[in-house]
């Protein structure tokens, strides 16, 4: 998002991989849970951008440079968080605010869920019927973990029309066992990240469950990547 809006990005995490033709020349300063402060200092950056969901509190507390912390919880919160960045990056404010305005239009145009045309589907593992009673979006294995309400992914699924198939939980990312579900009536969406389910197809097939592998970036990368995905769905 930052690069597309013309921001001079001088450092990144090792998970910041898009756009590939431009980020390969930008040095990595760590991951989402670790940072090399010495590298940050030598880059001459004027701003550190963090996210409350992805990064840790000490990163803001120890930052040697001005810091902005975003907190995206659903589709409706994205525009406001982009505006927060735009208030600091004034040279790119126009481009960022145009992006925020596009986000404001998302969410007012919910669609109907279609089991035969699952958005961002990379590969079908098994689909034996035209309808299911439950939909489970899986983000991790060992232990199994899924998304629940108060997460951006859950908000995306609701926008795509899957609300009546989703399960509630007091936790944002509850653990579960496959035995918790009636596997004949439950459909699983296995995200390609953060756990690389797209590389574990054979393991999933052996479980005998019904589901698909989906592009996790489309469902959870809430800058410009998921925006383009959602705009295509409307």
């Amino acid at each position: 998002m930052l690069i597309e809006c013309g921001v001079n990005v001088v450092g990144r995490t090792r998970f910041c991989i898009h756009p590939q033709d431009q980020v390969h020349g930008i040095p990595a300063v760590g991951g989402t849970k670790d940072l090399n402060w010495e590298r940050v200092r030598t880059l001459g950056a004027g701003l550190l951008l963090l996210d409350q969901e992805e990064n840790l509190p000490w990163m803001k507390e120890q930052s040697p440079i001005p810091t902005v912390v975003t907190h995206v919880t659903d589709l409706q919160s994205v525009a406001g968080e982009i505006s927060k960045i735009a208030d600091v990056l004034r040279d790119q404010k126009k481009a960022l605010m145009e992006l925020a305005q596009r986000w404001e239009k998302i969410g007012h145009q919910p669609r109907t869920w279609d089991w035969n045309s699952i958005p961002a589907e990379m590969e079908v593992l098994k689909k034996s019927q035209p309808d299911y009673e439950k939909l489970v979006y899986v983000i991790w294995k060992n232990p199994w973990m899924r998304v629940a309400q108060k997460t951006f992914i859950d908000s995306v699924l609701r926008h795509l029309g899957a609300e009546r198939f989703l399960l509630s939980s007091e936790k944002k990312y509850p653990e579960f066992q496959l035995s918790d579900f009636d596997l004949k009536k439950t459909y699983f969406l296995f995200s390609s990240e953060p756990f690389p389910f797209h590389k574990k197809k054979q393991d999933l097939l052996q479980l005998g469950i019904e589901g698909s592998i989906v592009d996790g970036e489309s469902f959870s990368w809430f800058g410009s990547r998921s925006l383009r995905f959602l705009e295509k769905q409307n």
Side-chain angles (χ1 to χ4, degrees):
M1 179 190 75
L2 296 175
I3 290 175
E4 290 177 4
C5 289
V7 178
N8 179 25
V9 179
V10 297
R12 62 181 176 91
T13 75
R14 56 183 174 272
F15 303 109
C16 298
I17 57 175
H18 299 298
Q20 294 181 4
D21 61 337
Q22 297 183 57
V23 300
H24 73 278
I26 300 175
V29 298
T32 56
K33 305 297 186 287
D34 63 287
L35 280 178
N36 185 318
W37 290 125
E38 187 58 35
R39 290 184 184 177
V40 172
R41 290 188 183 92
T42 60
L43 294 173
L47 179 70
L48 176 67
L49 180 60
L50 303 172
D51 183 75
Q52 184 173 318
E53 187 79 11
E54 291 295 327
N55 305 122
L56 300 174
W58 63 262
M59 293 181 174
K60 178 185 178 182
E61 296 164 1
Q62 299 179 14
S63 176
I65 58 177
T67 304
V68 170
V69 181
T70 59
H71 186 204
V72 172
T73 56
D74 52 29
L75 295 179
Q76 291 70 34
S77 65
V78 181
E81 297 306 294
I82 294 177
S83 298
K84 184 190 298 185
I85 301 171
D87 288 341
V88 179
L89 298 175
R90 294 192 175 277
D91 289 345
Q92 293 79 34
K93 185 168 185 176
K94 183 176 184 294
L96 286 164
M97 290 308 298
E98 287 176 352
L99 194 71
Q101 290 168 6
R102 288 167 60 191
W103 266 109
E104 288 178 344
K105 296 177 182 178
I106 300 295
H108 299 293
Q109 305 165 337
R111 54 168 285 177
T112 301
W113 184 261
D114 183 358
W115 293 104
N116 295 314
S117 182
I118 295 177
E121 187 175 63
M122 298 173 67
E123 190 167 6
V124 178
L125 298 171
K126 184 180 180 182
K127 189 184 298 182
S128 65
Q129 56 180 300
D131 202 1
Y132 296 84
E133 294 182 359
K134 301 295 180 183
L135 179 67
V136 180
Y137 189 102
V138 188
I139 59 169
W140 203 258
K141 182 183 180 183
N142 296 326
W144 290 107
M145 297 178 68
R146 64 178 180 86
V147 301
Q149 65 270 37
K150 297 182 180 180
T151 63
F152 179 77
I153 298 173
D154 180 79
S155 179
V156 170
L157 290 169
R158 292 174 186 275
H159 173 74
L160 296 174
E163 181 172 1
R164 68 188 182 94
F165 305 112
L166 301 176
L167 302 168
S168 61
S169 173
E170 295 181 356
K171 297 181 178 180
K172 291 183 178 180
Y173 306 103
E175 297 182 12
F176 69 92
Q177 302 293 330
L178 293 179
S179 57
D180 295 340
F181 304 102
D182 182 341
L183 299 184
K184 294 182 179 179
K185 300 179 180 179
T186 305
Y187 201 81
F188 295 86
L189 299 183
F190 296 96
S191 179
S192 61
E193 63 93 32
F195 190 89
F197 281 111
H198 58 298
K199 299 179 181 179
K200 308 292 183 180
K201 177 185 174 182
Q202 294 304 317
D203 294 342
L204 295 173
L205 287 172
Q206 292 177 4
L207 298 173
I209 54 182
E210 313 234 340
S212 300
I213 297 173
V214 295
D215 179 8
E217 295 179 8
S218 294
F219 281 93
S220 60
W221 289 29
F222 48 74
S224 53
R225 186 162 294 269
S226 55
L227 174 62
R228 288 193 293 270
F229 160 66
L230 290 168
E231 286 177 333
K232 290 180 181 178
Q233 309 307 314
N234 291 326

